[in-house]
């Protein structure tokens, strides 16, 4: 599931429009936002040689090949043009009615 969610982030980041991706996978939201945050920080400091935004080398990470590609896309498009939000997965109409989930999150996740 995490690999598929990371792949969707990579594919969405290739679009030439601002992206707000809703993911029901907390690990993808966390790692994606870490990549975005650290890339933005490096951009503000005008680092010409941006180090990878994670401690372990990409080859030593689970799905590191996809995360590397996501990082390169964030660098190419600019970190301020993409946002990732964790949304409730598999939300039901009843969850929306009870106020546990926002309607737009339910629709966005579907």
């Amino acid at each position: 599931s995490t690999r598929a969610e990371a792949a969707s982030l990579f594919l969405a980041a290739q679009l030439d429009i601002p992206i707000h991706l809703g993911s029901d996978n907390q690990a993808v939201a966390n790692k994606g936002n870490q990549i975005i945050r650290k890339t933005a920080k490096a951009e503000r400091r005008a680092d010409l040689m941006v180090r990878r935004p994670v401690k372990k080398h990409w080859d030593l990470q689970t799905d590191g090949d996809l995360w590397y590609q996501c990082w390169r896309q964030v660098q190419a498009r600019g970190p301020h043009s993409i946002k990732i939000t964790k949304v409730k997965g598999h939300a039901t109409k009843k969850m929306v009615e009870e106020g546990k989930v926002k309607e737009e999150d339910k629709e966005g996740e579907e």
Side-chain angles (χ1 to χ4, degrees):
S1 159
T2 301
R3 186 165 180 82
E5 294 276 342
S8 70
L9 170 59
F10 169 64
L11 292 172
Q14 292 182 41
L15 298 172
D16 194 23
I17 57 173
I19 302 294
H20 185 177
L21 182 72
S23 175
D24 65 351
N25 188 306
Q26 187 69 58
V28 168
N30 289 347
K31 193 161 199 168
N33 283 317
Q34 176 187 7
I35 289 170
I36 292 166
R37 239 184 354 267
K38 292 198 174 182
T39 303
K41 183 178 179 180
E43 189 178 82
R44 284 191 305 271
R45 293 187 324 215
D47 284 348
L48 298 177
M49 297 297 290
V50 178
R51 293 170 33 107
R52 68 181 174 274
V54 290
K55 291 183 181 182
K56 282 186 184 177
H57 191 277
W58 300 109
D59 293 340
L60 300 175
Q61 297 180 49
T62 303
D63 303 322
D65 58 327
L66 284 174
W67 287 115
Y68 172 76
Q69 294 301 324
C70 289
W71 175 53
R72 298 299 298 187
Q73 281 299 126
V74 170
Q75 286 180 307
R77 69 179 292 124
H80 301 291
S81 67
I82 187 165
K83 179 178 179 181
I84 305 169
T85 302
K86 165 66 171 84
V87 296
K88 171 72 175 127
H90 313 288
T92 64
K93 186 174 177 86
K94 183 178 178 183
M95 290 174 161
V96 174
E97 291 169 357
E98 293 173 349
K100 294 178 180 177
V101 179
K102 294 179 184 176
E103 178 68 30
E104 59 265 25
D105 289 344
K106 179 185 178 309
E107 291 174 9
E109 198 275 327
E110 288 176 354

